[in-house]
Amino acid sequence: MTYRIYPNKAQFDQLHWARKMHCDLYNAAMANRRTQYKRFGHSVNYLEQQNCLPEFKKVWIEYAELGSHTLQATLKRVDFAYKRFFQGLAKYPKFKAKRRYSGWTYPDQAGWKALSNGKNGYLELRDLGLKIQMRGQARTWGTPTTCTIFFRNGKWYASITVQCNPIRQTGTGSIGIDLGCKDAVTLSTGEKIAKPDFIKEGHKKVKVVSKRLRRKRPPNRNKKVKGSRRWKKEQKRISELQGKISRQREDWLHKTTSEIVSGNSLIAGEQLNVKGMTRKAKKGKRKRQKAGLNRSILDVGFSIVGDLLTYKATEAGGFYVESPTKTLKPSQRCAKCWELTPKTLADRVHVCSNPDCNHVEDRDVNAAQVNEIWARGLERASLDVESPSSTDCGSMKQLGAKKRQKRRL
């Protein structure tokens, strides 16, 4: 659960000081790893840097005020960045400027305490000697375990993790879904959930402010030119607008997925390679059109919907499965006869090519129905596999005798 915290002027400065100290420690750990490897060929790991913290705090006495566990968590971030690089999941780690460093983490209950029952309350940071008011409401409250303090768009937030057993209500039905750009979510029942209007309106406002930003003097590190105050003001305005759009989208996605889970215990989607779908256009292609398509895909949140449905269905005791898009081809397969009918993106109506079927249906609704039928097939297959073991046999010998009897017949 993420709470917004409201520090006063002195607390505000204290939080910024702590963020700066953790940013400097992050960069110092990065520099240590680079220097040791370039000069001596030695690869520094997390345990080595962690064991150096006591001596480091004797030299840099400013860090004595900060909790040891929070400093270890910052070193863990550096180690995590290098591990992702070696696994080929990210680029080589870079030094971070203070304005781009979000905050720090309390990995356990030492150094902080949440004075709340899940709704509003106060956040106590013992290492900094602060007691800050926070606002927010958790759907399910439990025992707090970790806390991350971060700064975003001029506001401070606290992300608190708790140990709890969340429970959701769900129905006994099954449903298939299909994601799109025009209609965000299409259900197998024929219902369509359109993309909300606030996304389009928010992008219009960002476009207007971005046009004003281009008229201001931007920063240029090569020429040692700082951005003007008006440029910084417009840049801050853009960040606020984009943050508002992001929060509105997240709220809409949570409400939409919760409504789907509340009535269905089996939900079927499809596997989507969102990273590949939103790649930039190649040279000589229609870059402007591809950029608009990428924006529409990201606005709907294709990659987020699956994650939300997965954990919400698990909390409700249901299942969310994704059909193999490359082999199943839900957009081209007929939900009635299972025949493949090639289509282009311009074809919005499914007309089955099988002369014995001639099924006509909306393209997105048909794809959602194909996903549901595929998932129900898995359900029936699992029931068939489990049925022999659910017999009232007294021993495995009786089960083997029944199987031999079936073979004779």
Side-chain angles (χ1 to χ4, degrees):
M1 175 60 190
T2 300
Y3 293 86
R4 184 180 171 186
I5 57 179
Y6 295 84
N8 56 32
K9 182 63 172 65
Q11 293 172 342
F12 192 86
D13 296 338
Q14 185 77 356
L15 291 176
H16 272 296
W17 173 83
R19 183 167 72 111
K20 176 182 178 300
M21 298 298 290
H22 281 278
C23 179
D24 292 342
L25 177 63
Y26 183 94
N27 292 331
M30 289 275 299
N32 175 250
R33 288 189 178 231
R34 291 188 178 189
T35 304
Q36 288 289 329
Y37 186 77
K38 288 182 178 180
R39 293 189 177 181
F40 310 105
H42 173 61
S43 297
V44 181
N45 56 22
Y46 165 73
L47 290 177
E48 184 176 346
Q49 290 187 330
Q50 176 188 339
N51 295 334
C52 293
L53 272 179
E55 298 298 327
F56 177 81
K57 294 171 73 172
K58 290 180 181 179
V59 178
W60 302 94
I61 57 176
E62 298 89 349
Y63 285 91
E65 301 181 23
L66 301 177
S68 299
H69 292 185
T70 62
L71 301 180
Q72 294 172 7
T74 301
L75 296 179
K76 200 70 177 178
R77 290 187 181 186
V78 180
D79 184 66
F80 180 70
Y82 272 91
K83 284 183 178 180
R84 282 180 55 84
F85 167 72
F86 291 131
Q87 293 172 358
L89 302 176
K91 296 182 180 180
Y92 188 76
K94 298 180 180 179
F95 294 104
K96 290 192 177 182
K98 177 188 173 183
R99 65 179 181 274
R100 298 188 181 277
Y101 195 81
S102 58
W104 65 97
T105 300
Y106 293 88
D108 48 32
Q109 298 182 10
W112 73 284
K113 186 177 182 181
L115 306 176
S116 173
N117 59 357
K119 184 177 181 181
N120 304 329
Y122 289 87
L123 179 65
E124 183 178 341
L125 305 179
R126 297 168 184 169
D127 57 342
L128 301 178
L130 302 178
K131 186 178 180 181
I132 311 171
Q133 183 182 7
M134 65 180 185
R135 291 186 62 85
Q137 184 173 358
R139 189 176 63 86
T140 305
W141 187 251
T143 304
T145 55
T146 65
C147 177
T148 300
I149 309 297
F150 60 94
F151 183 74
R152 183 176 297 167
N153 296 331
K155 301 173 184 176
W156 284 98
Y157 298 90
S159 179
I160 300 177
T161 305
V162 297
Q163 288 182 351
C164 60
N165 296 318
I167 301 176
R168 292 179 181 270
Q169 300 296 329
T170 184
T172 58
S174 62
I175 198 168
I177 64 172
D178 182 74
L179 303 178
C181 296
K182 182 180 179 181
D183 296 310
V185 183
T186 302
L187 306 180
S188 57
T189 57
E191 181 184 355
K192 294 188 176 184
I193 304 175
K195 186 168 64 174
D197 296 333
F198 62 77
I199 295 180
K200 185 177 181 181
E201 297 297 328
H203 285 317
K204 287 183 179 179
K205 294 180 180 179
V206 172
K207 189 174 181 180
V208 172
V209 180
S210 299
K211 188 175 181 180
R212 293 204 302 260
L213 179 68
R214 290 194 294 269
R215 299 194 184 109
K216 309 299 186 293
R217 186 186 69 196
N220 192 324
R221 179 175 295 182
N222 296 330
K223 297 181 180 180
K224 297 182 179 181
V225 176
K226 293 184 178 181
S228 63
R229 288 184 298 175
R230 294 182 178 181
W231 184 89
K232 294 179 181 179
K233 183 178 180 181
E234 298 297 339
Q235 183 65 36
K236 182 179 178 181
R237 177 60 178 162
I238 292 177
S239 299
E240 292 175 352
L241 290 173
Q242 291 176 340
K244 182 178 180 180
I245 297 173
S246 177
R247 292 192 299 272
Q248 288 178 324
R249 182 195 300 112
E250 184 179 1
D251 178 69
W252 172 74
L253 287 174
H254 274 290
K255 291 179 179 178
T256 303
T257 53
S258 297
E259 185 177 357
I260 294 174
V261 172
S262 63
N264 303 278
S265 58
L266 177 61
I267 306 167
E270 58 179 320
Q271 297 175 356
L272 296 176
N273 182 14
V274 181
K275 185 176 181 180
M277 295 168 62
T278 55
R279 285 178 181 171
K280 293 182 179 180
K282 297 181 180 179
K283 293 183 179 180
K285 300 293 182 180
R286 300 178 179 179
K287 292 187 177 181
R288 188 180 296 273
Q289 288 85 342
K290 187 62 171 67
L293 177 62
N294 295 349
R295 189 183 301 112
S296 298
I297 294 174
L298 296 175
D299 285 343
V300 176
F302 281 15
S303 59
I304 304 176
V305 173
D307 296 337
L308 295 180
L309 289 174
T310 300
Y311 88 81
K312 290 183 179 182
T314 304
E315 291 178 358
F319 299 93
Y320 171 72
V321 294
E322 293 183 344
S323 63
T325 307
K326 293 184 178 180
T327 57
L328 184 62
K329 300 181 180 179
S331 299
Q332 301 179 15
R333 193 172 296 276
C334 180
K336 295 293 183 181
C337 66
W338 224 242
E339 188 75 19
L340 289 175
T341 302
K343 305 184 191 69
T344 63
L345 291 176
D347 300 328
R348 305 313 305 170
V349 178
H350 168 76
V351 180
C352 185
S353 59
N354 186 358
D356 298 331
C357 179
N358 293 326
H359 176 59
V360 180
E361 183 61 271
D362 182 87
R363 173 186 178 140
D364 298 334
V365 175
N366 179 78
Q369 292 174 352
V370 170
N371 291 331
E372 181 186 3
I373 295 171
W374 177 85
R376 293 302 299 269
L378 290 182
E379 182 185 25
R380 288 191 294 269
S382 63
L383 291 176
D384 293 340
V385 171
E386 293 175 359
S387 57
S389 61
S390 61
T391 57
D392 296 331
C393 300
S395 64
M396 293 300 294
K397 292 182 179 180
Q398 296 177 2
L399 183 61
K402 285 190 174 184
K403 288 184 178 180
R404 288 191 296 269
Q405 185 177 4
K406 288 182 180 180
R407 290 174 185 173
R408 293 172 185 172
L409 295 176

